[in-house]
Amino acid sequence: MDCIFCKIINGDFNTEFVLENDYAVVFKDINPKADTHLLVVPKKHVASLNELDDEILLGKLMMTVKDAVKKCGLNSYRTVINTGKEAGQEVFHLHIHILAGNIKL
Ligand code: 5GP
Ligand code: ZN
């Protein structure tokens, strides 16, 4: 599958992970829209929230958000999930944006 986030998860680009657990990785967005801009990405390929049918995974992803912000010392932040081209989704592998500080979005 030609998916940039699957390749990142696979280690193809030696991307540094802010955090990794059994079901997700967290890494810095390449084009940050805030002082801190992280992406929480499930290890399993799911194209978007529309294709997600696993509520347990969704809960685990949100708990991963909490773990990542705690690790970064943040307690005020915005989470965003873009779903579909018209809403601005560019990478069709589900991800949760975490934005903090001078958010330009
Ligand atoms: P979307 O618009 O799909 O919600 O968000 C995709 C995000 O992935 C964008 O903010 C974009 O900057 C980021 N992105 C795209 N390609 C890469 C990449 O190769 N590495 C990293 N770290 N981020 C990427
Ligand atoms: Zn993927």
XYZ file of all heavy atoms in Angstrom:
850
model
N 0.840 -1.203 0.000
C 0.000 0.000 0.000
C 0.872 1.249 0.000
O 1.822 1.345 0.753
C -0.904 -0.020 1.232
C -1.552 1.310 1.431
S -3.200 1.392 2.072
C -3.716 -0.269 2.321
N 0.506 2.210 -0.854
C 1.309 3.420 -0.990
C 0.778 4.482 -0.027
O 0.138 5.438 -0.459
C 1.254 3.892 -2.447
C 2.374 4.874 -2.732
O 3.392 4.835 -2.018
O 2.214 5.694 -3.650
N 1.072 4.301 1.249
C 0.565 5.231 2.266
C 1.753 5.784 3.047
O 2.516 5.032 3.640
C -0.401 4.509 3.199
S -0.838 5.468 4.667
N 1.881 7.107 3.028
C 3.034 7.759 3.658
C 3.094 7.464 5.163
O 4.184 7.241 5.715
C 3.006 9.285 3.363
C 4.295 9.980 3.791
C 1.840 9.973 3.972
C 5.304 10.080 2.718
N 1.948 7.442 5.826
C 1.969 7.200 7.274
C 2.289 5.731 7.583
O 2.976 5.446 8.567
C 0.646 7.639 7.927
C 0.518 9.138 8.083
C -0.620 9.693 8.650
C 1.531 10.009 7.673
C -0.746 11.074 8.803
C 1.417 11.394 7.806
C 0.263 11.918 8.385
N 1.826 4.792 6.741
C 2.224 3.386 6.937
C 3.747 3.262 6.795
O 4.389 2.510 7.545
C 1.524 2.477 5.942
S -0.191 2.089 6.397
N 4.322 3.999 5.863
C 5.779 3.953 5.666
C 6.500 4.541 6.885
O 7.527 4.013 7.319
C 6.173 4.710 4.396
C 5.785 3.948 3.132
C 6.141 4.722 1.882
C 5.706 3.951 0.646
N 5.710 4.776 -0.560
N 5.968 5.641 7.423
C 6.565 6.240 8.626
C 6.505 5.249 9.790
O 7.495 5.029 10.497
C 5.854 7.572 8.974
C 6.271 8.650 7.958
C 6.159 8.008 10.403
C 5.531 9.974 8.091
N 5.345 4.616 9.962
C 5.171 3.630 11.041
C 6.144 2.478 10.855
O 6.723 1.945 11.809
C 3.703 3.121 11.066
C 2.774 4.243 11.519
C 3.555 1.884 11.947
C 1.329 4.044 11.122
N 6.372 2.116 9.609
C 7.267 1.010 9.252
C 8.751 1.369 9.448
O 9.614 0.508 9.360
C 6.995 0.644 7.795
C 7.446 -0.742 7.456
O 7.352 -1.652 8.285
N 7.959 -0.920 6.245
N 9.010 2.661 9.692
C 10.389 3.103 9.927
C 11.148 3.449 8.662
O 12.363 3.666 8.704
N 10.443 3.551 7.536
C 11.113 3.789 6.244
C 11.866 5.120 6.191
O 12.821 5.263 5.430
C 10.098 3.768 5.096
C 9.541 2.376 4.846
O 9.865 1.464 5.632
O 8.775 2.206 3.879
N 11.419 6.116 6.977
C 12.045 7.444 6.914
C 12.794 7.800 8.202
O 13.183 8.948 8.399
C 10.990 8.517 6.607
C 10.192 8.243 5.375
C 8.810 8.059 5.456
C 10.802 8.146 4.129
C 8.058 7.792 4.314
C 10.064 7.886 2.990
C 8.689 7.696 3.083
N 12.955 6.808 9.077
C 13.632 7.051 10.364
C 13.029 8.223 11.131
O 13.745 8.986 11.777
C 15.135 7.288 10.155
C 15.861 5.995 9.861
O 15.564 4.969 10.477
N 16.773 6.029 8.904
N 11.716 8.368 11.032
C 11.021 9.450 11.749
C 11.135 9.218 13.256
O 10.935 8.103 13.733
C 9.526 9.463 11.349
O 9.445 9.526 9.926
C 8.775 10.629 11.962
N 11.460 10.303 13.967
C 11.546 10.187 15.421
C 10.135 10.187 16.010
O 9.326 11.064 15.681
C 12.346 11.376 15.964
C 12.738 11.214 17.417
C 13.440 12.447 17.960
O 14.128 13.133 17.175
O 13.279 12.709 19.163
N 9.843 9.218 16.865
C 8.532 9.156 17.515
C 8.599 9.834 18.882
O 9.470 9.517 19.687
C 8.064 7.705 17.658
C 7.854 6.990 16.336
C 8.140 5.641 16.206
C 7.371 7.667 15.227
C 7.951 4.978 14.992
C 7.173 7.019 14.012
C 7.469 5.676 13.897
N 7.669 10.759 19.096
C 7.533 11.394 20.407
C 7.075 10.338 21.410
O 7.457 10.342 22.574
C 6.499 12.549 20.327
C 6.167 13.116 21.692
C 6.999 13.637 19.385
N 6.282 9.404 20.909
C 5.719 8.354 21.748
C 5.297 7.194 20.842
O 4.876 7.423 19.704
C 4.505 8.928 22.478
C 3.843 8.178 23.620
C 3.328 9.201 24.627
C 2.696 7.346 23.122
N 5.424 5.994 21.360
C 4.945 4.820 20.621
C 4.354 3.851 21.632
O 4.909 3.659 22.718
C 6.112 4.145 19.872
C 5.676 2.891 19.126
C 6.788 2.258 18.289
O 7.967 2.672 18.398
O 6.446 1.333 17.514
N 3.219 3.255 21.294
C 2.678 2.172 22.124
C 2.205 1.055 21.198
O 2.535 1.080 19.997
C 1.573 2.710 23.064
C 0.471 3.426 22.311
O 0.134 3.044 21.194
N -0.084 4.470 22.915
N 1.445 0.111 21.712
C 1.085 -1.067 20.900
C 0.222 -0.707 19.694
O 0.221 -1.422 18.698
C 0.323 -2.089 21.752
C 1.252 -2.817 22.715
O 2.481 -2.670 22.566
O 0.746 -3.503 23.614
N -0.524 0.389 19.772
C -1.521 0.656 18.723
C -1.315 1.970 17.976
O -1.992 2.224 16.994
C -2.939 0.613 19.325
C -2.970 0.982 20.779
C -3.020 2.312 21.172
C -2.886 -0.011 21.759
C -2.988 2.651 22.511
C -2.860 0.321 23.102
C -2.911 1.646 23.472
O -2.870 1.989 24.802
N -0.360 2.802 18.414
C -0.204 4.104 17.754
C 1.221 4.616 17.853
O 2.008 4.175 18.708
C -1.151 5.133 18.383
N 1.534 5.545 16.959
C 2.772 6.314 17.076
C 2.379 7.795 17.083
O 1.320 8.180 16.562
C 3.772 6.039 15.919
C 4.236 4.590 15.939
C 3.189 6.406 14.568
N 3.258 8.610 17.678
C 3.058 10.056 17.698
C 4.345 10.684 17.184
O 5.445 10.331 17.647
C 2.780 10.562 19.129
C 2.518 12.064 19.121
C 1.607 9.807 19.755
N 4.195 11.569 16.193
C 5.384 12.245 15.659
C 5.029 13.681 15.288
O 3.841 14.042 15.205
C 5.988 11.488 14.461
C 5.022 11.142 13.358
C 4.756 12.048 12.348
C 4.381 9.902 13.328
C 3.872 11.741 11.315
C 3.484 9.577 12.301
C 3.241 10.497 11.298
N 6.062 14.499 15.075
C 5.855 15.910 14.750
C 5.377 16.066 13.314
O 5.900 15.400 12.408
C 7.167 16.683 14.935
C 7.575 16.821 16.376
C 8.871 17.623 16.492
C 9.298 17.720 17.943
N 10.680 18.180 18.116
N 4.419 16.965 13.110
C 3.964 17.295 11.758
C 5.111 17.996 11.005
O 5.804 18.852 11.545
C 2.742 18.214 11.827
C 2.008 18.281 10.502
O 2.572 18.845 9.537
O 0.879 17.778 10.428
N 5.291 17.615 9.753
C 6.390 18.159 8.945
C 6.184 19.642 8.618
O 7.152 20.367 8.352
C 6.548 17.313 7.657
C 7.950 17.405 7.091
C 5.499 17.674 6.627
C 8.226 16.390 5.988
N 4.930 20.079 8.653
C 4.590 21.467 8.317
C 3.752 22.059 9.456
O 2.539 22.225 9.330
C 3.821 21.467 6.983
C 3.450 22.848 6.525
O 4.060 23.835 6.936
N 2.419 22.944 5.698
N 4.414 22.374 10.593
C 3.665 22.706 11.814
C 2.802 23.947 11.696
O 3.227 24.965 11.159
C 4.770 22.883 12.863
C 6.036 23.080 12.105
C 5.868 22.401 10.792
N 1.579 23.847 12.199
C 0.630 24.967 12.215
C 0.508 25.558 13.619
O -0.431 26.316 13.899
C -0.752 24.490 11.756
C -0.786 23.737 10.439
C -0.750 24.671 9.264
C -1.128 23.989 7.947
N -0.539 22.688 7.692
N 1.436 25.227 14.492
C 1.456 25.747 15.865
C 2.851 25.495 16.424
O 3.643 24.763 15.814
C 0.399 25.046 16.706
N 3.138 26.097 17.603
C 4.462 25.874 18.207
C 4.711 24.377 18.408
O 5.814 23.880 18.172
C 4.551 26.603 19.555
C 4.495 28.111 19.389
O 4.712 28.592 18.256
O 4.230 28.807 20.379
N 3.686 23.689 18.877
C 3.740 22.220 18.946
C 2.636 21.667 18.051
O 1.472 22.069 18.197
C 3.512 21.725 20.396
O 4.488 22.324 21.244
C 3.599 20.202 20.474
N 3.003 20.819 17.112
C 2.015 20.210 16.218
C 2.395 18.745 16.044
O 3.369 18.410 15.364
C 1.997 20.924 14.860
C 0.902 20.475 13.942
N 0.590 21.131 12.778
C 0.041 19.418 14.006
C -0.402 20.514 12.163
N -0.747 19.460 12.886
N 1.624 17.898 16.720
C 1.893 16.454 16.691
C 0.763 15.727 15.976
O -0.371 16.228 15.903
C 1.989 15.911 18.127
C 3.009 16.579 19.059
C 2.888 15.988 20.457
C 4.421 16.416 18.519
N 1.072 14.548 15.488
C 0.076 13.686 14.862
C 0.048 12.354 15.605
O 1.106 11.742 15.819
C 0.433 13.436 13.388
C 0.541 14.687 12.508
C 1.103 14.317 11.133
C -0.809 15.377 12.354
N -1.138 11.944 16.015
C -1.331 10.632 16.643
C -1.902 9.721 15.567
O -2.970 9.996 15.010
C -2.302 10.732 17.839
C -2.583 9.356 18.423
C -1.735 11.677 18.897
N -1.168 8.659 15.252
C -1.495 7.833 14.080
C -1.617 6.365 14.482
O -0.655 5.800 15.029
C -0.382 7.996 13.013
C -0.729 7.209 11.757
C -0.151 9.471 12.680
N -2.770 5.742 14.236
C -2.900 4.315 14.562
C -1.966 3.463 13.708
O -1.761 3.756 12.527
C -4.374 4.013 14.244
C -4.783 5.049 13.260
C -3.981 6.278 13.585
N -1.410 2.404 14.305
C -0.523 1.521 13.538
C -1.292 0.778 12.452
O -0.750 0.447 11.408
C 0.173 0.540 14.488
C 1.244 1.223 15.336
C 1.999 0.240 16.206
C 3.184 0.946 16.866
N 3.905 0.073 17.815
N -2.570 0.518 12.729
C -3.426 -0.146 11.741
C -3.861 0.879 10.691
O -4.273 1.991 11.046
C -4.648 -0.716 12.484
C -5.626 -1.458 11.642
C -6.808 -1.904 12.499
C -7.943 -2.369 11.623
N -9.214 -2.381 12.358
N -3.781 0.541 9.410
C -4.228 1.473 8.372
C -5.752 1.552 8.349
O -6.435 0.576 8.052
C -3.711 1.076 6.983
C -4.149 2.038 5.924
N -3.413 3.148 5.575
C -5.290 2.096 5.186
C -4.069 3.834 4.653
N -5.211 3.214 4.397
N -6.251 2.744 8.653
C -7.680 3.048 8.515
C -7.708 4.368 7.753
O -7.035 5.329 8.155
C -8.343 3.232 9.901
C -9.806 3.591 9.761
C -8.172 1.990 10.766
N -8.437 4.445 6.642
C -8.323 5.602 5.750
C -8.780 6.902 6.411
O -8.162 7.955 6.228
C -9.102 5.353 4.463
N -9.869 6.846 7.152
C -10.377 8.055 7.819
C -11.338 7.623 8.910
O -11.642 6.425 9.060
C -11.086 8.977 6.816
O -12.412 8.536 6.585
N -11.841 8.607 9.641
C -12.820 8.294 10.692
C -14.045 7.588 10.107
O -14.661 6.754 10.777
C -13.232 9.604 11.389
C -13.992 9.479 12.708
C -13.200 8.731 13.766
C -14.383 10.861 13.216
N -14.374 7.890 8.863
C -15.533 7.239 8.225
C -15.368 5.731 8.116
O -16.358 4.999 8.078
C -15.756 7.804 6.814
C -16.353 9.187 6.830
O -16.959 9.583 7.821
N -16.185 9.925 5.745
N -14.133 5.267 8.027
C -13.882 3.833 7.866
C -13.632 3.137 9.212
O -13.474 1.916 9.253
C -12.663 3.593 6.965
C -12.944 3.771 5.476
C -13.082 5.228 5.062
O -12.504 6.097 5.741
O -13.787 5.492 4.064
N -13.556 3.902 10.289
C -13.228 3.318 11.597
C -14.466 2.686 12.224
O -15.505 3.331 12.337
C -12.661 4.391 12.533
C -12.213 3.888 13.906
C -10.989 2.986 13.787
C -11.920 5.047 14.838
N -14.335 1.395 12.590
C -15.475 0.734 13.240
C -15.051 0.107 14.570
O -15.685 -0.801 15.064
C -16.075 -0.332 12.308
C -15.051 -1.384 11.922
O -13.916 -1.329 12.421
O -15.394 -2.271 11.121
N -13.958 0.618 15.121
C -13.376 0.021 16.327
C -13.356 1.074 17.437
O -12.445 1.890 17.520
C -11.950 -0.455 15.976
C -11.248 -1.139 17.136
O -11.715 -1.005 18.286
O -10.224 -1.789 16.876
N -14.396 1.054 18.264
C -14.496 2.096 19.295
C -13.402 1.959 20.349
O -13.005 2.940 20.986
C -15.900 2.130 19.952
C -16.258 0.927 20.762
C -17.051 -0.113 19.962
O -16.821 -0.275 18.746
O -17.902 -0.762 20.580
N -12.910 0.750 20.522
C -11.829 0.558 21.502
C -10.571 1.252 21.000
O -9.891 1.957 21.747
C -11.598 -0.949 21.761
C -12.823 -1.513 22.484
C -10.329 -1.168 22.589
C -12.843 -3.006 22.624
N -10.278 1.096 19.713
C -9.105 1.784 19.137
C -9.265 3.300 19.245
O -8.317 4.006 19.607
C -8.909 1.365 17.670
C -7.744 2.056 16.946
C -6.412 1.808 17.652
C -7.660 1.584 15.484
N -10.472 3.797 18.976
C -10.704 5.242 19.073
C -10.415 5.746 20.485
O -9.756 6.774 20.673
C -12.148 5.575 18.670
C -12.507 7.051 18.586
C -11.623 7.786 17.590
C -13.970 7.222 18.216
N -10.868 5.001 21.475
C -10.593 5.359 22.870
C -9.106 5.326 23.165
O -8.573 6.228 23.834
N -8.439 4.312 22.638
C -6.999 4.199 22.878
C -6.239 5.345 22.210
O -5.248 5.853 22.754
C -6.480 2.849 22.379
C -6.897 1.700 23.299
C -6.405 0.366 22.809
C -6.614 -0.698 23.878
N -6.248 -2.042 23.411
N -6.704 5.777 21.055
C -6.054 6.909 20.376
C -6.207 8.180 21.205
O -5.261 8.964 21.328
C -6.630 7.110 18.974
C -6.327 5.998 17.964
C -7.097 6.236 16.666
C -4.830 5.898 17.686
N -7.395 8.381 21.778
C -7.582 9.582 22.605
C -6.742 9.500 23.879
O -6.204 10.515 24.346
C -9.068 9.783 22.947
C -9.955 10.173 21.760
S -9.311 11.526 20.736
C -9.474 12.931 21.835
N -6.593 8.312 24.443
C -5.720 8.165 25.613
C -4.260 8.404 25.213
O -3.471 8.923 26.015
C -5.894 6.778 26.250
C -7.274 6.540 26.856
S -7.874 7.857 27.944
C -6.873 7.588 29.402
N -3.928 8.065 23.963
C -2.569 8.327 23.472
C -2.342 9.835 23.343
O -1.236 10.330 23.612
C -2.337 7.608 22.120
O -2.587 6.209 22.298
C -0.912 7.808 21.629
N -3.395 10.571 22.947
C -3.307 12.040 22.932
C -2.917 12.521 24.331
O -1.980 13.319 24.503
C -4.654 12.685 22.516
C -4.645 14.185 22.784
C -4.964 12.406 21.051
N -3.610 12.013 25.341
C -3.342 12.452 26.721
C -1.917 12.104 27.138
O -1.238 12.906 27.792
C -4.352 11.813 27.671
C -5.762 12.349 27.488
C -6.710 11.823 28.546
C -6.283 12.287 29.927
N -7.220 11.804 30.973
N -1.466 10.926 26.779
C -0.092 10.521 27.132
C 0.929 11.442 26.452
O 1.928 11.834 27.054
C 0.165 9.071 26.710
C -0.622 8.071 27.547
O -1.085 8.448 28.644
O -0.779 6.921 27.102
N 0.668 11.774 25.176
C 1.618 12.587 24.413
C 1.691 14.014 24.980
O 2.779 14.561 25.140
C 1.225 12.617 22.936
N 0.536 14.612 25.284
C 0.565 15.985 25.798
C 1.191 16.030 27.191
O 1.913 16.970 27.529
C -0.830 16.669 25.790
C -1.337 16.826 24.383
C -1.833 15.947 26.654
N 0.949 14.999 27.961
C 1.562 14.933 29.304
C 3.078 14.871 29.157
O 3.813 15.586 29.836
C 1.026 13.709 30.044
C 1.386 13.688 31.505
C 0.704 12.557 32.236
C 1.140 12.567 33.704
N 0.721 11.338 34.391
N 3.515 14.028 28.235
C 4.958 13.887 28.016
C 5.586 15.208 27.557
O 6.734 15.506 27.876
C 5.195 12.776 26.969
C 6.635 12.351 26.858
C 6.793 11.087 26.054
C 8.271 10.714 25.975
N 8.484 9.523 25.146
N 4.815 15.988 26.804
C 5.325 17.271 26.287
C 5.071 18.428 27.260
O 5.411 19.577 26.954
C 4.683 17.585 24.944
S 5.145 16.416 23.659
N 4.445 18.142 28.390
C 4.205 19.187 29.392
C 3.115 20.172 28.991
O 3.127 21.318 29.437
N 2.172 19.737 28.171
C 1.097 20.625 27.701
C -0.185 20.328 28.458
O -0.523 19.157 28.672
C 0.825 20.391 26.210
C 1.980 20.593 25.241
C 1.605 20.033 23.875
C 2.328 22.068 25.145
N -0.919 21.373 28.860
C -2.264 21.085 29.374
C -3.329 21.928 28.693
O -4.495 21.873 29.038
C -2.329 21.183 30.903
C -1.901 22.531 31.399
O -2.029 23.521 30.670
N -1.395 22.600 32.616
N -2.917 22.702 27.676
C -3.887 23.443 26.883
C -3.550 23.200 25.418
O -2.451 23.537 24.957
C -3.799 24.932 27.228
O -4.800 25.637 26.526
N -4.457 22.599 24.706
C -4.148 22.174 23.339
C -5.454 21.916 22.589
O -6.531 21.804 23.193
C -3.282 20.894 23.354
C -3.897 19.776 24.160
C -4.767 18.863 23.580
C -3.648 19.667 25.533
C -5.360 17.865 24.330
C -4.238 18.684 26.290
C -5.090 17.778 25.678
O -5.696 16.815 26.432
N -5.350 21.858 21.266
C -6.517 21.580 20.414
C -6.291 20.252 19.695
O -5.177 19.986 19.232
C -6.679 22.702 19.395
C -7.893 22.532 18.465
C -7.991 23.700 17.484
N -8.153 24.957 18.179
C -8.045 26.156 17.598
N -7.774 26.244 16.305
N -8.212 27.250 18.287
N -7.342 19.438 19.595
C -7.266 18.213 18.795
C -8.175 18.376 17.582
O -9.263 18.951 17.697
C -7.699 16.976 19.606
O -8.918 17.265 20.267
C -6.653 16.587 20.629
N -7.688 17.905 16.443
C -8.424 18.044 15.177
C -8.341 16.727 14.404
O -7.266 16.119 14.322
C -7.809 19.177 14.312
C -8.458 19.230 12.929
C -7.932 20.531 15.000
N -9.475 16.311 13.866
C -9.485 15.190 12.911
C -10.157 15.694 11.641
O -11.354 16.019 11.655
C -10.263 13.964 13.442
C -9.688 13.464 14.773
C -10.248 12.841 12.385
C -10.481 12.302 15.378
N -9.393 15.791 10.561
C -9.976 16.147 9.266
C -10.470 14.867 8.600
O -9.721 13.896 8.499
C -8.927 16.824 8.380
C -8.468 18.161 8.953
O -9.281 18.924 9.460
N -7.176 18.436 8.878
N -11.712 14.903 8.131
C -12.283 13.718 7.489
C -12.827 14.104 6.124
O -13.784 14.887 6.032
C -13.399 13.107 8.360
O -12.868 12.819 9.653
C -13.934 11.824 7.737
N -12.167 13.588 5.078
C -12.596 13.872 3.705
C -11.868 15.060 3.114
O -11.492 15.998 3.828
N -11.679 14.990 1.799
C -10.936 16.029 1.044
C -11.468 17.434 1.290
O -10.710 18.369 1.527
C -11.029 15.727 -0.461
C -9.829 15.017 -1.029
C -9.767 15.203 -2.559
C -8.488 14.582 -3.111
N -8.567 13.103 -3.133
N -12.790 17.574 1.249
C -13.389 18.910 1.371
C -13.165 19.517 2.744
O -13.221 20.743 2.903
C -14.884 18.861 1.048
C -15.146 18.673 -0.431
C -16.595 18.316 -0.724
O -17.470 18.679 0.070
O -16.821 17.661 -1.755
N -12.912 18.661 3.728
C -12.623 19.155 5.083
C -11.132 19.372 5.294
O -10.703 19.745 6.386
C -13.176 18.187 6.118
N -10.336 19.095 4.250
C -8.905 19.352 4.345
C -8.053 18.126 4.613
O -6.854 18.250 4.858
N -8.655 16.918 4.577
C -7.825 15.724 4.780
C -6.931 15.505 3.565
O -7.416 15.450 2.428
C -8.703 14.483 5.028
C -7.856 13.250 5.370
C -8.677 12.018 5.731
O -9.905 12.005 5.634
N -7.980 10.965 6.123
N -5.626 15.432 3.817
C -4.642 15.234 2.744
C -4.045 13.837 2.782
O -3.677 13.290 1.743
C -3.518 16.273 2.872
C -3.980 17.683 2.560
C -2.903 18.726 2.865
O -1.810 18.343 3.322
O -3.191 19.914 2.643
N -3.903 13.300 3.992
C -3.327 11.956 4.139
C -4.446 11.014 4.577
O -5.056 11.207 5.641
C -2.182 11.953 5.175
C -1.661 10.540 5.359
C -1.060 12.902 4.735
N -4.709 10.022 3.735
C -5.833 9.131 3.998
C -5.407 7.915 4.812
O -5.557 6.766 4.401
C -6.580 8.807 2.699
C -7.449 9.971 2.289
C -6.888 11.069 1.653
C -8.786 10.011 2.642
C -7.667 12.179 1.339
C -9.578 11.114 2.338
C -9.012 12.199 1.676
N -4.852 8.244 5.962
C -4.584 7.301 7.050
C -4.971 8.084 8.300
O -4.376 9.127 8.583
C -3.099 6.885 7.042
C -2.715 5.912 8.111
N -1.928 4.792 7.857
C -2.968 5.895 9.440
C -1.728 4.137 8.977
N -2.354 4.786 9.970
N -5.993 7.611 8.981
C -6.553 8.326 10.132
C -5.464 8.905 11.044
O -4.472 8.212 11.338
C -7.426 7.349 10.931
C -8.045 7.866 12.231
C -9.029 8.985 11.973
C -8.725 6.719 12.969
N -5.649 10.140 11.461
C -4.714 10.746 12.408
C -5.412 11.851 13.190
O -6.338 12.486 12.678
C -3.472 11.309 11.692
C -3.783 12.190 10.534
N -4.175 11.696 9.304
C -3.804 13.538 10.421
C -4.405 12.704 8.481
N -4.196 13.837 9.141
N -4.942 12.062 14.400
C -5.448 13.136 15.249
C -4.346 14.175 15.379
O -3.234 13.863 15.805
C -5.828 12.612 16.649
C -6.838 11.463 16.549
C -6.395 13.760 17.508
C -7.112 10.776 17.878
N -4.655 15.409 14.970
C -3.713 16.511 15.157
C -3.771 16.968 16.619
O -4.865 17.088 17.185
C -4.092 17.716 14.292
C -4.024 17.485 12.816
N -2.964 17.911 12.044
C -4.883 16.884 11.962
C -3.183 17.597 10.776
N -4.342 16.969 10.690
N -2.622 17.278 17.180
C -2.546 17.961 18.480
C -1.822 19.282 18.226
O -0.691 19.275 17.705
C -1.738 17.152 19.517
C -2.367 15.777 19.759
C -1.621 17.943 20.834
C -1.503 14.870 20.645
N -2.481 20.391 18.574
C -1.913 21.721 18.323
C -1.871 22.516 19.619
O -2.842 22.527 20.375
C -2.761 22.468 17.301
C -2.867 21.779 15.935
C -4.304 21.713 15.492
C -2.010 22.473 14.904
N -0.732 23.164 19.859
C -0.617 23.980 21.071
C 0.314 25.160 20.809
O 1.365 25.006 20.192
C -0.081 23.141 22.223
N -0.078 26.329 21.276
C 0.755 27.526 21.172
C 0.711 28.150 19.792
O 1.116 27.540 18.813
N 0.216 29.385 19.709
C 0.168 30.117 18.425
C -0.432 29.279 17.291
O 0.161 29.140 16.225
C 1.571 30.597 18.028
C 2.126 31.603 19.011
O 1.478 32.600 19.299
N 3.293 31.319 19.554
N -1.612 28.777 17.537
C -2.255 27.891 16.563
C -2.688 28.698 15.329
O -3.410 29.686 15.450
C -3.469 27.169 17.189
C -3.003 26.323 18.382
C -4.190 26.323 16.172
C -4.152 25.754 19.225
N -2.223 28.244 14.156
C -2.576 28.924 12.904
C -3.407 27.963 12.066
O -2.956 27.437 11.063
C -1.295 29.306 12.133
C -0.378 30.235 12.907
C 0.950 30.378 12.173
C 2.062 30.877 13.078
N 2.524 29.850 14.054
N -4.595 27.702 12.513
C -5.431 26.736 11.797
C -6.872 27.184 11.861
O -7.338 27.561 12.932
C -5.270 25.350 12.450
C -5.705 24.156 11.640
C -4.731 23.867 10.518
C -5.801 22.921 12.537
P -4.525 16.205 7.067
O -4.587 17.427 6.210
O -4.619 14.943 6.253
O -5.468 16.218 8.246
O -3.101 16.231 7.754
C -1.967 15.645 7.196
C -0.796 16.243 7.911
O 0.330 15.406 7.675
C -0.417 17.647 7.398
O -0.479 18.562 8.488
C 0.989 17.468 6.844
O 1.820 18.567 7.129
C 1.463 16.194 7.532
N 2.407 15.405 6.746
C 2.281 15.058 5.432
N 3.326 14.294 5.047
C 4.132 14.153 6.141
C 5.374 13.497 6.360
O 5.962 12.858 5.473
N 5.890 13.561 7.617
C 5.283 14.254 8.617
N 5.892 14.266 9.810
N 4.114 14.901 8.441
C 3.543 14.855 7.221
Zn -1.576 3.861 6.073
